[in-house]
Amino acid sequence: MICEILSVGTELLLGDILNTNTQYLNRRLAELGITVYFNTTVGDNPIRLKKALEIAFSRSDMVIATGGLGPTKDDLTKEVSAEFFDKKLILHEESLNRIKEFFEKRGLPLTEGNIKQAYIIEGSKVIPNDWGTAPGIIYDNNGKVLILLPGPPREMIPMFETYVVPYLLTLSSETIQSKVLRVCGLGESFMEERVKDLIENQTNPTIAPYAKEGEAILRITAKAKSKEEAEKLIEEVMRDIRKRLGDFIYGEGDVTLEEVVVKLLMEKGRTIAIAESCTGGMISSRIVNVPGVSKVFKEAIIAYSNEAKIKRLNVSEETLRKYGAVSKECALEMARNVALMSGADIGLSATGIAGPEGGTSNKPVGLVYLGLYMNGAENYKELKLSGDRNRIRLYITINALDFLRRHILNS
């Protein structure tokens, strides 16, 4: 089944609202094995909206439209859709009662616009809205399926998951399962090269590589008669991928890099302290995202200036004079001293030039050193990053966490 996502709203075209609905639906439909070839955005204009529906159904079996179901006059998705299919809009009493109850509980008056939301396309199936007022609609016109959902993500997402996904699963006699492998320390193109033959020869399961800031993702999707059969097919492919990518794979599913790091620290019974310069606390912030991290995280010191590095981290003046703050020598002292001063088993540090100023021919913007002190041993990593200040700081943070992960894993 080929699906097209149609986003309705002039505010989307003006850039006033970020269209996260399309991103979400693209991902979920891929997981469900439904092909999406086109994403279309159209404003609140009945002529252009009708034309968009005409084009979409000329090339797709199903259209999922979000937005334009609100109470105002420019919310016209239902009205235009009914006209497109030459169907009437009829009042859905149950939806009307839900809307009335919604407003009564809040002590608010019911307007004509709100009553308008209770109308549905003749012959359609209602998608209840337990998170707002506008119901959604599923309308099957001789195999051409239109699904209408509200625009606000807080309504659209739970309605899709609760009511639309079960409906979509009935359209196929087979089940579709997906698993995700998360990769760090290896760019998308390098990752893809290592599994290129698997991708080129794929049939079932399929393998799809994706890029995300600082990491890469492989989604393996299988179709089978049962969930167990699909998962078995996926596992066979994942075993092969794990052999090729090794410890570049840091996790599966929705797990984050910091969650993996904290779990390893807990499993190994190690504590950590962090010394940051150019990242300004970003590494520590990621670590403390994880519940229960207080069991392993001692403290963090942000020592941005040379004076702070000397005063707070006991970095020697000679090291700074001879090698500079952006050096492996400084990074190693920062890591060692923050561990010893805090009594932590592990010290992690980052020092570098995030830009846009401060770089030289010898030490350009993006030059970064990570330091690690663990079990009395010291290691460092040099990074040469590019991009704006925020991107460089983000990539330092991701690299630092992955640097830490690998050493804990192999210790």
Side-chain angles (χ1 to χ4, degrees):
M1 176 169 282
I2 297 171
C3 178
E4 181 158 341
I5 298 169
L6 180 60
S7 304
V8 182
T10 302
E11 68 276 10
L12 297 171
L13 292 175
L14 294 175
D16 292 337
I17 295 177
L18 185 64
N19 190 355
T20 57
N21 283 346
T22 295
Q23 180 189 34
Y24 172 83
L25 289 171
N26 279 329
R27 178 174 60 82
R28 287 296 284 123
L29 290 168
E31 292 171 354
L32 294 165
I34 295 174
T35 303
V36 177
Y37 285 150
F38 301 98
N39 293 163
T40 301
T41 302
V42 63
D44 299 304
N45 178 282
I47 296 172
R48 289 191 284 274
L49 177 52
K50 190 174 182 180
K51 186 65 177 177
L53 285 169
E54 181 184 325
I55 294 170
F57 277 113
S58 72
R59 60 193 181 188
S60 303
D61 308 301
M62 178 167 61
V63 174
I64 299 179
T66 63
L69 301 183
T72 63
K73 288 184 178 180
D74 63 351
D75 289 310
L76 297 168
T77 305
K78 261 189 315 193
E79 289 79 358
V80 173
S81 298
E83 184 182 332
F84 175 78
F85 287 112
D86 195 23
K87 291 291 180 179
K88 295 177 182 178
L89 283 175
I90 58 173
L91 183 64
H92 187 248
E93 291 291 345
E94 185 179 339
S95 293
L96 179 60
N97 291 335
R98 289 168 69 100
I99 292 170
K100 284 180 178 177
E101 185 180 347
F102 181 93
F103 281 89
E104 284 172 2
K105 282 182 178 178
R106 290 158 179 79
L108 298 171
L110 188 69
T111 68
E112 286 299 319
N114 299 127
I115 294 172
K116 174 174 89 81
Q117 292 181 294
Y119 280 80
I120 65 168
I121 299 172
E122 183 183 14
S124 64
K125 177 182 177 182
V126 172
I127 304 171
N129 187 345
D130 302 319
W131 301 269
T133 54
I137 287 172
I138 298 174
Y139 179 65
D140 187 338
N141 184 61
N142 299 319
K144 291 288 187 177
V145 178
L146 174 66
I147 298 175
L148 303 183
L149 291 167
R154 67 181 181 277
E155 299 176 33
M156 189 282 292
I157 292 173
M159 289 172 72
F160 181 83
E161 293 296 338
T162 306
Y163 299 107
V164 178
V165 169
Y167 167 77
L168 295 176
L169 292 175
T170 66
L171 302 181
S172 174
S173 60
E174 295 179 300
T175 183
I176 296 163
Q177 297 294 318
S178 289
K179 287 193 177 180
V180 166
L181 290 175
R182 297 188 172 273
V183 178
C184 198
L186 190 66
E188 184 192 13
S189 59
F190 292 103
M191 176 191 72
E192 193 172 345
E193 188 63 32
R194 294 194 179 199
V195 295
K196 187 177 179 181
D197 60 310
L198 296 178
I199 295 173
E200 288 177 346
N201 298 318
Q202 65 184 347
T203 51
N204 185 32
T206 59
I207 305 167
Y210 302 94
K212 191 181 176 183
E213 282 189 321
E215 64 177 276
I217 295 169
L218 282 170
R219 182 180 299 280
I220 303 97
T221 303
K223 186 183 292 186
K225 294 294 183 184
S226 67
K227 179 182 177 182
E228 293 73 21
E229 186 182 343
E231 288 181 345
K232 184 179 178 182
L233 291 170
I234 290 170
E235 189 54 44
E236 289 173 2
V237 173
M238 288 176 68
R239 273 198 299 268
D240 196 350
I241 293 172
R242 286 193 192 97
K243 288 178 185 176
R244 298 174 186 225
L245 299 183
D247 66 3
F248 285 112
I249 298 172
Y250 75 79
E252 294 183 19
D254 293 328
V255 71
T256 64
L257 187 54
E258 55 265 31
E259 286 172 340
V260 171
V261 168
V262 171
K263 184 180 178 184
L264 284 171
L265 287 168
M266 290 180 175
E267 288 174 351
K268 299 276 187 176
R270 307 277 177 80
T271 56
I272 187 171
I274 300 173
E276 301 186 53
S277 180
C278 55
T279 43
M282 286 179 72
I283 302 169
S284 305
S285 178
R286 287 281 290 265
I287 286 282
V288 299
N289 279 337
V290 184
V293 71
S294 58
K295 296 174 184 175
V296 295
F297 187 32
K298 289 277 191 178
E299 65 179 84
I301 296 175
I302 301 170
Y304 205 79
S305 67
N306 283 2
E307 292 78 12
K309 290 178 177 68
I310 294 168
K311 186 176 179 180
R312 302 296 182 192
L313 289 169
N314 291 335
V315 174
S316 72
E317 293 185 42
E318 182 183 357
T319 294
L320 293 171
R321 186 170 53 251
K322 187 174 181 180
Y323 302 106
V326 182
S327 64
K328 66 179 182 182
E329 290 80 9
C330 181
L332 289 171
E333 277 196 47
M334 289 169 66
R336 178 175 66 249
N337 292 348
V338 77
L340 296 176
M341 290 164 60
S342 65
D345 302 312
I346 301 170
L348 176 68
S349 70
T351 180
I353 306 168
E357 300 173 349
T360 66
S361 56
N362 291 329
K363 293 185 177 181
V365 169
L367 178 65
V368 178
Y369 289 94
L370 305 176
L372 186 67
Y373 175 86
M374 186 164 63
N375 300 331
E378 297 179 353
N379 290 280
Y380 77 93
K381 184 175 183 178
E382 181 185 87
L383 303 174
K384 293 180 179 178
L385 304 172
S386 61
D388 63 23
R389 183 178 180 82
N390 289 334
R391 184 182 187 276
I392 288 172
R393 293 174 66 225
L394 173 62
Y395 276 66
I396 296 169
T397 300
I398 293 168
N399 274 276
L401 290 171
D402 191 52
F403 182 53
L404 173 62
R405 175 187 71 88
R406 289 168 182 275
H407 278 83
I408 301 172
L409 195 62
N410 298 316
S411 65

